[in-house]
Amino acid sequence: MFKRLTVTTALVAAGLFGTLNYSAIAETNQTEQSAPSSSRSQMSALDRQFITDAAHGGMAEVRLGQLALQRSNNAQVRQFAQRMIDRHTQANRELMALAQRKGVTPPNSPGPKYEAAMNRLMQLSGDSFDEAYLNEAGVNSHLEAAAVYQRQARMGQDSDLRAFATRTLPTVQGHLEMAATMTGYSLARGSNDASDTSDIPAMPMSR
């Protein structure tokens, strides 16, 4: 049913983790301004950037999933979308509570990048929508989310945020493997076992 992802996606993903490491410090001004001065002095730029990146991605997954429930007639796509809504809503609530405890005001929208993705998907229907949704909200966004959560789990300085990232990362990786199975995207298997992948089968691929 779905075409394989282009090599461009794989190339972008390959450099994503390194890019995020540097952007974590460079792109924090907006979040920094919204936090109390006492919190800004205590929380690192990396930790504040994690809150921003994780919040953007989590909200986007919920909104894109809701769009998929409206647009798709494919049972497997709808099942995947509902799971994204359920899991990311739960993670979003936990992240927002953590941010508030830390005195950081998280973003209240997915941000321009994800808004643009939603606008693109809103122009599609049928199999074209399903393919684009699984590529965007399934593979691409979870490649980025996995890098964001892995960065925080390894490098974060706030112990609560690091624990949240470590606890949530296997679920993000599981969602990525789920989407990869459905689209035919090839992932290099790492040491982490995928979770949350058992009940959505592979979809037939067009050649």
Side-chain angles (χ1 to χ4, degrees):
M1 176 180 176
F2 297 115
K3 299 177 182 177
R4 293 185 181 275
L5 292 179
T6 64
V7 70
T8 303
T9 303
L11 292 174
V12 170
L16 183 59
F17 184 77
T19 301
L20 287 170
N21 284 341
Y22 292 105
S23 66
I25 297 175
E27 300 176 359
T28 58
N29 290 341
Q30 183 174 358
T31 306
E32 221 173 293
Q33 292 171 0
S34 63
S37 58
S38 60
S39 175
R40 290 201 299 269
S41 65
Q42 295 172 8
M43 182 170 286
S44 71
L46 188 87
D47 292 331
R48 291 194 300 273
Q49 188 65 37
F50 170 72
I51 291 174
T52 298
D53 291 341
H56 278 157
M59 285 185 286
E61 285 294 339
V62 173
R63 290 184 57 182
L64 289 168
Q66 291 168 340
L67 181 63
L69 291 183
Q70 296 171 8
R71 292 296 182 94
S72 179
N73 293 318
N74 184 291
Q76 292 176 34
V77 172
R78 292 175 61 84
Q79 185 180 359
F80 178 84
Q82 186 62 60
R83 178 166 297 185
M84 296 307 101
I85 294 170
D86 295 342
R87 300 295 193 271
H88 285 279
T89 296
Q90 180 180 349
N92 291 348
R93 288 173 180 163
E94 187 173 352
L95 177 64
M96 297 305 175
L98 271 174
Q100 290 176 3
R101 280 169 46 195
K102 304 297 178 180
V104 176
T105 302
N108 57 13
S109 70
K113 175 176 65 177
Y114 291 111
E115 294 285 358
M118 179 167 287
N119 288 335
R120 289 194 299 271
L121 287 173
M122 290 177 68
Q123 309 305 313
L124 303 175
S125 61
D127 287 354
S128 295
F129 173 87
D130 292 339
E131 181 178 351
Y133 168 71
L134 289 176
N135 286 347
E136 183 62 44
V139 176
N140 293 345
S141 64
H142 284 97
L143 281 169
E144 182 167 346
V148 167
Y149 278 84
Q150 188 172 46
R151 179 192 71 200
Q152 183 66 18
R154 291 179 176 179
M155 302 170 61
Q157 297 182 26
D158 183 275
S159 60
D160 293 329
L161 290 173
R162 191 170 62 249
F164 169 74
T166 301
R167 187 169 61 253
T168 308
L169 177 59
T171 299
V172 173
Q173 292 171 325
H175 292 169
L176 174 57
E177 292 201 11
M178 195 186 306
T181 298
M182 295 173 74
T183 61
Y185 183 85
S186 178
L187 294 172
R189 299 289 297 190
S191 59
N192 291 323
D193 291 332
S195 61
D196 206 20
T197 63
S198 59
D199 58 348
I200 295 185
M203 302 185 70
M205 304 288 295
S206 60
R207 300 294 180 185

